[in-house]
Amino acid sequence: MPAPPPRPKSRKALWIVLGVAAFILICIIAFAAFGLYFVSRNLDMQQATATEAATSFDEERARFKEAPIISLDEQERVTLTRRPPAQPADEKPETMYVMAYDGDDSRIVRVTIPFWMLRLGREKIRLGTGDDLDFERLQLSVEELERYGPALLLDHRDRRGKRVLVWTQ
């Protein structure tokens, strides 16, 4: 019985290209699904009046006795109020929480960021950028934040009724 004729090389190449394209497509879908899952688990938005928001902020703020590590002056320039301690804290924080309220939207937004995610992208952490707040200059590393232990990072209210609370736990 004679051997079947060999497949043309172009057919093998086509299957290889299709396999790689399918793998890339599956990776993109998986990444998008993980992103949607992560956002749905770590982002919470709820309508709130100014009074309800103030109560929520005060409840969170009451857990911290020390002043925030980050402060803003009248021109909203960002500075550190104290450097990270030389010795790490007994308890390392595992999560960063951001709570924000905008009176124009009447909405409280809560974001939970695990520390493993803070370690992923950069050596230095950007707490956020916006029209008013420029945190770029701080350039805190995850290791520096861990040395503080669980702490209040920022408690800021602006003239227009916006408030931001950032802490680690």
Side-chain angles (χ1 to χ4, degrees):
M1 183 183 241
R7 284 185 164 170
K9 289 187 179 192
S10 63
R11 216 175 227 187
K12 274 186 182 178
L14 176 65
W15 282 110
I16 290 172
V17 168
L18 288 175
V20 169
F23 176 75
I24 291 171
L25 182 62
I26 289 170
C27 288
I28 290 171
I29 291 170
F31 185 73
F34 173 75
L36 287 173
Y37 170 77
F38 183 81
V39 167
S40 70
R41 300 285 293 167
N42 295 299
L43 178 71
D44 178 43
M45 290 188 277
Q46 57 188 181
Q47 292 297 120
T49 65
T51 305
E52 293 168 338
T55 301
S56 293
F57 275 87
D58 291 343
E59 287 172 2
E60 293 295 342
R61 178 66 174 91
R63 296 184 302 131
F64 300 97
K65 305 301 178 223
E66 293 186 355
I69 294 168
I70 300 166
S71 69
L72 298 166
D73 63 14
E74 295 81 34
Q75 286 78 36
E76 296 187 349
R77 288 185 299 240
V78 182
T79 57
L80 282 177
T81 59
R82 61 184 186 272
R83 297 297 312 158
Q87 297 299 316
D90 294 336
E91 182 183 352
K92 281 187 174 184
E94 297 176 4
T95 308
M96 177 186 287
Y97 297 90
V98 178
M99 185 174 171
Y101 177 75
D102 184 350
D104 296 338
D105 295 336
S106 298
R107 183 181 312 171
I108 296 176
V109 177
R110 291 182 170 101
V111 181
T112 305
I113 307 165
F115 260 69
W116 65 263
M117 183 167 237
L118 294 174
R119 286 185 188 89
L120 279 182
R122 298 191 168 110
E123 188 175 308
K124 300 289 183 176
I125 297 171
R126 293 182 182 176
L127 294 178
T129 57
D131 297 335
D132 301 323
L133 305 176
D134 180 15
F135 289 101
E136 301 287 320
R137 289 187 313 107
L138 287 179
Q139 296 201 357
L140 288 170
S141 69
V142 175
E143 292 75 23
E144 290 170 326
L145 278 181
E146 285 179 330
R147 288 199 319 238
Y148 286 110
L152 179 63
L153 300 178
L154 174 71
D155 183 2
H156 175 67
R157 296 172 208 194
D158 74 4
R159 296 179 289 278
R160 293 172 299 222
K162 295 180 182 180
R163 186 167 180 191
V164 178
L165 195 67
V166 182
W167 72 95
T168 58
Q169 205 169 314

